[in-house]
Amino acid sequence: MANNQSSSTASSEEWVRILSNDGFSYLVKRKVATASGTLKNMLSTESNFAEAASNTCPMSERGIIVEKLCEYLTFKTLYEKVPPKEDIPDFMERLAPEIALELLMAADYYDGVWFLHTSRPDQVDRRSWI
Amino acid sequence: MSRRNNVRGPTSALTEFLRESGITPTTIARRARTREVPQPVAGPSNSGQDAEEENAEEDGDAEQNNNEGYSSDKLDEDEDEQPAPKKRKLSKAAEAKLKAKEKEKAKGKAKAKGKGKKGDDDDYEDDSDGEDAYTALSKMWKDSAKPPVGSFEDCARCKKKFTVTKYTLAANPPPGFLCHVCAKASGADPFKKPAAPRKRKLPGDKRTVVHFEERRFPSLASICIQLITRHIDDVEALGDIGGLNMDEISKSLARNRSLTQENVQLFYDAVNPKLTLYDATGLTPPAYGTLALLNPGLTHLRLDFCGRMDCTVMEAWSTALPNLKHLELLGPFLVRVPAWLNFIKAHRKLEGFLITQSPRFDLECMKALADNCQNLTELRLKEIGLMSDEFLEQVQRFENLEHLDISYPGKPDALSEPALIDLMAAVCGGLTHLDLSNNLNISDGFLLQGINPYAKNLSTLILSNTPDLTDAGVAEFFDNWGTIIPPKRSKKAAQAADANPPLMELDLSRNHELSSKALEALLKHSGQTLTQLSINGWRTVSQDALKLVAKRCEELTRLDIGWCREVDDWIVQDLMEKCEKMRDLKRNVAIQGIAVM
């Protein structure tokens, strides 16, 4: 588990840490974490967020929720691009109904597609002299 | 089918019959051609004669053909005709042998044979020419009038003599042919390849309906919703996560557009006082009945997108929901007048009646509401198709109104300014929230005579898209607010002599005439307290005035400065630095100042 701290070269294979609010931490590949739009923005090297600098995302969710979320993101990166003919296993079997409501709220926040307004090259100059 | 050597193989009974009755391809072609040319009106008997004559002629031809056709000497010479009978035999044999397997194919063939030369269009994939499929001539005979290639012909247009080629086109309108030059000049392309032969659909294909399935990767939220729906009857399995979160879950179900009559039960509770469904599209009329029965304690009910709610629902609710005080519906357009009347009469305790989009809510309903629900404090009649001045007379009868929304009437100019001023004189004293957007008759006079003298508690004012407002008029209104003494006829207004407190929310968007003076005046009046401000579409407002927004409005949380042309990075930067509570800033896309956010 090579925790590569040189965040300037953000390769999709390096590991990032996701923390739950009750002290569990999960290590996932960057490309897995960036399957979530929210985490992608948090970890974006263009932003100045602390998450991006430390490669660590704290989530205000319980451990079990974060675990399932990471599990889903792994599942998503693995199967999202497969050709239509191939069978995708049913993720629902891996979820317990007890956490469904809580997970739904977390999913609503983390699994959405959020776009950070990224600056175009012509804007970068402009920002530098503001 | 030109038979140069007049040799014929065995033919079917139908062909034989047609030949005997003198119907040949040539006669068919000729008949069709005569039909294309408009017939002179006077000629029914004549034309009949003509046809007969023609037939007679053809009969003669046919006879000749027949005579020649059966001359047995030449039987062996014909090469062209051989394949046809062979095929036929083959198909017969196949039919006999592979009856079960080839049944469909054979049927198809038989069908094709039966329909034969008329070219029934059912069997083809496209039907590009606009001719009647039944009377149209087979393509084969279309060009039979064309002189043989190599012969000379006079051009129909330029009258020059030219050689007929494969590419020669018929003149349009019909009689004659065109030379190459004229054909090109007429816009037609002589070298255009004939349309690809129409493909016969396989009988099997004809029945298969083509459909596409778009497979999307399931989002975690949708998986969770499915799981919840599956376990909806087992409440303990889902656990209790509290009222606040229930609202969040209601929102995320709405966002995923997946609220159904099964999983809506998650939000039902006998002692529940408040229920909000943000997207009730999935609920059918019986489901609304169930909603009322399973939530007897409801006092506040809000249903967005309740388009499938109909009269039966309102009738059912008339006898249910005894404690209902606050009803908010978006899109109850199927509910008719009698159902509204019943519901209103049954719920005299209503304090909030907020409906949006109803083409059927009429004056009678409005009267019933005013007669029965005197305690109403909140009234929203937004996008009501039948809205008129008479409605306003009824609205005046509510004495305790605090929240009034009569925006977007069915006809934008349905409400006249004098009627609105009268309404303000009656109810404006108690109002805290007023929305009269998209009433096109509102002008400066309404502000000065309607709101200025009577408003005493107003904190929210929404006048979006009232384009008659002028810059000077709005500036004068804010400068003099509270200084104009109301006319004596209104007792209530005369009692409360104190001025209206500054506004908290102001929306004057899409009023293109408004500009710097209005903005400066309104900031002077309400700038300190404003939390929400929309000046969307004030295109000429100056930079100096815009800078005042950041200076004066410290409390701003939402600001819409879209389509204000003078806004630039510096203004936005100023706003972000000085308004610390800002949460939502809408600006024109062209502004690149988002960088400072």
Side-chain angles (χ1 to χ4, degrees), chain B residues 325-358:
Chain B
K325 286 189 172 163
H326 197 100
L327 179 69
E328 185 172 347
L329 299 175
L330 171 56
F333 25 75
L334 295 182
V335 182
R336 290 172 190 277
V337 176
W340 279 124
L341 293 179
N342 275 347
F343 176 80
I344 291 167
K345 281 170 192 159
H347 290 91
R348 290 165 167 265
K349 283 190 283 183
L350 272 185
E351 289 174 7
F353 184 78
L354 302 99
I355 60 170
T356 305
Q357 292 180 347
S358 172

XYZ file of all heavy atoms in Angstrom, chain B residues 325-358:
282
model
N -55.260 22.085 8.107
C -55.300 23.545 8.176
C -54.573 24.191 7.008
O -54.821 25.334 6.672
C -54.635 24.014 9.471
C -55.505 23.760 10.678
C -54.929 24.414 11.895
C -55.922 24.309 13.030
N -55.291 24.546 14.323
N -53.643 23.429 6.463
C -52.735 24.040 5.503
C -52.592 23.098 4.315
O -52.077 22.007 4.462
C -51.384 24.226 6.208
C -50.500 25.175 5.514
N -50.354 26.470 5.909
C -49.707 25.022 4.437
C -49.502 27.084 5.106
N -49.105 26.229 4.209
N -53.072 23.518 3.186
C -53.017 22.650 2.009
C -52.257 23.353 0.894
O -52.566 24.481 0.532
C -54.431 22.325 1.527
C -54.515 21.444 0.275
C -54.049 20.035 0.580
C -55.926 21.426 -0.280
N -51.255 22.663 0.382
C -50.463 23.242 -0.696
C -50.368 22.232 -1.823
O -49.859 21.132 -1.648
C -49.061 23.612 -0.181
C -48.238 24.335 -1.217
C -46.933 24.881 -0.651
O -46.786 24.906 0.589
O -46.069 25.263 -1.441
N -50.881 22.595 -2.980
C -50.901 21.668 -4.110
C -50.282 22.327 -5.327
O -50.558 23.489 -5.623
C -52.347 21.267 -4.447
C -53.142 20.561 -3.360
C -54.575 20.359 -3.816
C -52.513 19.224 -3.004
N -49.476 21.556 -6.012
C -48.916 22.037 -7.284
C -49.465 21.167 -8.402
O -49.156 19.991 -8.500
C -47.384 21.969 -7.246
C -46.635 22.234 -8.548
C -47.011 23.580 -9.122
C -45.141 22.173 -8.341
N -50.331 21.756 -9.189
C -50.852 21.061 -10.367
C -52.064 20.177 -10.160
O -52.139 19.110 -10.757
N -53.074 20.618 -9.350
C -54.280 19.780 -9.235
C -55.257 20.093 -10.361
O -56.399 20.474 -10.113
C -54.847 20.190 -7.879
C -54.445 21.620 -7.730
C -53.161 21.810 -8.498
N -54.829 19.943 -11.615
C -55.669 20.456 -12.692
C -56.845 19.573 -13.061
O -57.710 19.974 -13.796
C -54.850 20.792 -13.945
C -53.573 20.046 -14.089
C -53.560 18.723 -14.461
C -52.388 20.677 -13.823
C -52.378 18.044 -14.586
C -51.195 19.998 -13.951
C -51.191 18.674 -14.325
N -56.897 18.367 -12.555
C -58.026 17.504 -12.910
C -59.228 17.702 -11.992
O -60.300 17.178 -12.249
C -57.602 16.028 -12.864
C -56.543 15.613 -13.883
C -56.259 14.133 -13.763
C -56.993 15.933 -15.277
N -59.034 18.434 -10.907
C -60.120 18.602 -9.947
C -61.132 19.605 -10.489
O -60.772 20.714 -10.856
C -59.567 19.077 -8.591
C -60.689 19.197 -7.586
C -58.502 18.129 -8.102
N -62.399 19.196 -10.533
C -63.439 20.068 -11.093
C -64.166 20.849 -9.994
O -64.007 20.561 -8.815
C -64.459 19.225 -11.876
C -63.882 18.671 -13.142
C -64.844 17.685 -13.784
N -64.176 16.992 -14.884
C -64.062 17.489 -16.106
N -64.570 18.666 -16.385
N -63.446 16.811 -17.052
N -65.014 21.770 -10.428
C -65.666 22.701 -9.504
C -66.438 22.007 -8.368
O -66.220 22.334 -7.200
C -66.580 23.675 -10.286
C -67.323 24.578 -9.332
C -65.750 24.481 -11.261
N -67.337 21.054 -8.680
C -68.113 20.465 -7.575
C -67.225 19.850 -6.500
O -67.520 19.957 -5.299
C -68.946 19.384 -8.274
C -68.944 19.738 -9.705
C -67.688 20.480 -9.975
N -66.129 19.223 -6.929
C -65.228 18.593 -5.965
C -64.550 19.648 -5.099
O -64.439 19.487 -3.874
C -64.186 17.760 -6.699
N -64.122 20.753 -5.718
C -63.532 21.840 -4.937
C -64.542 22.348 -3.903
O -64.201 22.556 -2.733
C -63.141 23.021 -5.840
C -61.837 22.901 -6.567
C -61.661 23.000 -7.915
C -60.525 22.717 -6.014
N -60.328 22.867 -8.226
C -59.612 22.693 -7.079
C -60.041 22.555 -4.721
C -58.240 22.520 -6.897
C -58.683 22.384 -4.534
C -57.804 22.364 -5.614
N -65.791 22.567 -4.365
C -66.814 23.118 -3.464
C -67.006 22.211 -2.255
O -67.028 22.673 -1.109
C -68.132 23.290 -4.216
C -68.121 24.354 -5.322
C -69.462 24.414 -6.009
C -67.760 25.712 -4.742
N -67.134 20.907 -2.523
C -67.317 19.957 -1.417
C -66.160 20.021 -0.441
O -66.360 20.043 0.774
C -67.432 18.528 -1.961
C -68.847 18.220 -2.370
O -69.759 18.975 -2.025
N -69.025 17.142 -3.107
N -64.967 20.043 -1.000
C -63.787 20.038 -0.131
C -63.741 21.299 0.729
O -63.513 21.249 1.929
C -62.514 19.940 -0.978
C -61.250 20.021 -0.183
C -60.770 18.919 0.494
C -60.562 21.219 -0.066
C -59.627 18.994 1.250
C -59.415 21.316 0.689
C -58.946 20.199 1.351
N -64.002 22.445 0.086
C -63.922 23.718 0.817
C -64.972 23.770 1.916
O -64.697 24.177 3.051
C -64.077 24.902 -0.164
C -62.840 24.990 -1.064
C -64.270 26.205 0.581
C -63.005 25.890 -2.255
N -66.184 23.317 1.583
C -67.255 23.351 2.587
C -66.956 22.435 3.760
O -67.421 22.673 4.885
C -68.589 22.975 1.936
C -69.195 24.144 1.171
C -70.389 23.712 0.336
C -70.756 24.831 -0.620
N -71.529 24.323 -1.760
N -66.204 21.371 3.478
C -65.910 20.417 4.556
C -64.723 20.853 5.408
O -64.491 20.305 6.480
C -65.643 19.041 3.957
N -63.933 21.797 4.936
C -62.741 22.200 5.687
C -62.781 23.687 6.006
O -62.043 24.483 5.431
C -61.465 21.857 4.899
C -61.213 20.393 4.820
N -61.684 19.610 3.806
C -60.539 19.558 5.647
C -61.319 18.361 4.002
N -60.621 18.294 5.112
N -63.673 24.056 6.934
C -63.833 25.479 7.269
C -62.669 26.011 8.095
O -62.515 27.213 8.256
C -65.139 25.673 8.044
C -66.343 25.479 7.167
C -67.592 25.308 7.990
N -68.757 25.430 7.123
C -69.425 26.562 6.954
N -69.063 27.640 7.592
N -70.456 26.613 6.151
N -61.883 25.089 8.636
C -60.798 25.544 9.514
C -59.512 25.869 8.760
O -58.506 26.205 9.367
C -60.509 24.462 10.567
C -61.541 24.435 11.680
C -61.116 23.537 12.813
C -61.315 22.091 12.455
N -60.988 21.160 13.539
N -59.574 25.770 7.452
C -58.357 26.003 6.671
C -57.729 27.360 6.972
O -58.435 28.369 7.043
C -58.672 25.943 5.175
C -58.617 24.594 4.474
C -58.842 24.786 2.983
C -57.296 23.906 4.711
N -56.426 27.358 7.159
C -55.716 28.624 7.350
C -54.801 28.939 6.178
O -54.443 30.076 5.948
C -54.894 28.566 8.646
C -55.775 28.602 9.871
C -55.001 28.389 11.154
O -53.758 28.353 11.085
O -55.641 28.233 12.197
N -54.411 27.889 5.483
C -53.564 28.095 4.311
C -54.133 27.333 3.129
O -54.382 26.138 3.213
N -54.374 28.034 2.052
C -54.874 27.383 0.846
C -53.993 27.851 -0.298
O -54.092 28.985 -0.758
C -56.340 27.775 0.620
C -56.984 27.074 -0.541
C -57.413 25.761 -0.419
C -57.148 27.722 -1.760
C -58.005 25.112 -1.492
C -57.728 27.070 -2.831
C -58.164 25.764 -2.687
N -53.087 26.987 -0.710
C -52.109 27.395 -1.715
C -52.157 26.440 -2.894
O -51.732 25.286 -2.768
C -50.700 27.396 -1.101
C -50.506 28.287 0.127
C -50.589 27.469 1.406
C -49.192 29.020 0.058
N -52.703 26.895 -3.982
C -52.717 26.030 -5.164
C -52.051 26.746 -6.342
O -52.122 27.954 -6.481
C -54.137 25.557 -5.561
C -55.039 26.740 -5.868
C -54.747 24.700 -4.480
C -56.353 26.315 -6.492
N -51.404 25.940 -7.133
C -50.737 26.447 -8.324
C -51.213 25.625 -9.510
O -51.308 24.404 -9.397
C -49.205 26.293 -8.184
O -48.801 26.926 -6.985
C -48.475 26.931 -9.347
N -51.513 26.300 -10.573
C -51.940 25.649 -11.812
C -53.270 24.929 -11.673
O -53.305 23.731 -11.378
C -50.894 24.632 -12.291
C -49.625 25.275 -12.744
C -48.606 24.277 -13.207
O -48.727 23.083 -12.986
N -47.581 24.761 -13.851
N -54.349 25.649 -11.890
C -55.639 24.991 -12.028
C -56.463 25.762 -13.042
O -56.727 26.941 -12.849
C -56.384 24.934 -10.703
O -57.696 24.465 -10.951
